[in-house]
Amino acid sequence: MDELICVDVLDLPVGKATKEICHKEGLLHRAFSVFLYRDGKLLLQQRARNKYHSGGLWTNACCSHPRYGESLDDAVRRRLYEEVGAVCSCKEIGQFIYYHQFDQNLYEYEYDHVFLGEYEGTVSPDPEEIMDVAWVDVSELSKSLVTSPNQYTVWFLTAAPMVIRELSKSFTFEI
């Protein structure tokens, strides 16, 4: 059973708890969202329908939690490879806290670190995690976030604009 890092609003560790307890009791814990890009496109995954929440929704390349005692960088590398079979360097571009109650005993309360990496290789999605992947044009995604927000995970709606803003510093695209 993975133990996660419980944190305060400044991302300072305050303890540990299992993933199940964190999500059942709504404990603030450290998490990360990884975005991969190439040629003006972002890699999106459609979460497997059997996921305990947000099944069938589109989101970033991968997301997860560092284990207690594991660095963020090590966790990002581990989960990126496990979920999509990708190996690349990623840099952190920002953080945010979000809270969402999915049902009576299921919460997401995360201090989310957003990572971005350029990736030119192929992907090998884990079918237990992902039912589909797509490289989506940043301009198209920007419009879709406004017109169809219900197609995306709750954290993606906050993280994706951060990534688009970061990419706009290096690339020109229509929003």
Side-chain angles (χ1 to χ4, degrees):
M1 183 68 64
D2 285 346
E3 289 186 310
L4 307 184
I5 305 161
C6 297
V7 297
D8 66 13
V9 296
L10 299 176
D11 195 37
L12 298 173
V14 296
K16 62 183 176 179
T18 65
K19 181 178 174 181
E20 181 181 8
I21 294 295
C22 285
H23 291 157
K24 276 188 174 182
E25 296 182 11
L27 303 177
L28 181 59
H29 58 283
R30 190 172 292 158
F32 59 86
S33 295
V34 182
F35 287 75
L36 297 181
Y37 74 94
R38 70 171 178 215
D39 302 324
K41 296 182 179 185
L42 286 168
L43 177 66
L44 301 188
Q45 65 151 286
Q46 187 176 24
R47 289 170 60 91
R49 292 231 184 265
N50 64 351
K51 298 292 284 183
Y52 63 100
H53 69 75
S54 306
L57 296 180
W58 287 91
T59 197
N60 44 286
C62 89
C63 49
S64 191
H65 315 89
R67 296 172 177 148
Y68 186 78
E70 180 181 38
S71 74
L72 263 172
D73 288 335
D74 288 346
V76 165
R77 278 190 293 276
R78 173 179 55 82
R79 286 304 293 162
L80 194 54
Y81 183 74
E82 290 171 354
E83 282 194 43
V84 295
V87 176
C88 70
S89 62
C90 297
K91 72 173 186 170
E92 186 171 351
I93 63 163
Q95 314 90 29
F96 64 97
I97 292 175
Y98 77 96
Y99 175 86
H100 186 79
Q101 183 173 358
F102 290 95
D103 66 33
Q104 187 175 2
N105 294 309
L106 182 58
Y107 303 85
E108 283 280 358
Y109 192 20
E110 297 187 337
Y111 193 106
D112 195 7
H113 295 258
V114 181
F115 285 81
L116 179 61
E118 185 172 10
Y119 185 67
E120 296 291 334
T122 59
V123 294
S124 302
D126 176 353
E128 293 294 316
E129 300 281 338
I130 301 168
M131 62 189 242
D132 198 5
V133 294
W135 287 97
V136 178
D137 181 82
V138 173
S139 297
E140 291 174 24
L141 176 61
S142 298
K143 292 172 187 160
S144 181
L145 288 170
V146 173
T147 61
S148 304
N150 59 340
Q151 292 181 20
Y152 302 100
T153 60
V154 65
W155 61 90
F156 187 79
L157 294 172
T158 299
M162 293 171 68
V163 170
I164 293 167
R165 188 174 298 110
E166 182 69 20
L167 290 174
S168 72
K169 295 174 185 176
S170 303
F171 302 99
T172 303
F173 44 80
E174 184 180 318
I175 296 182

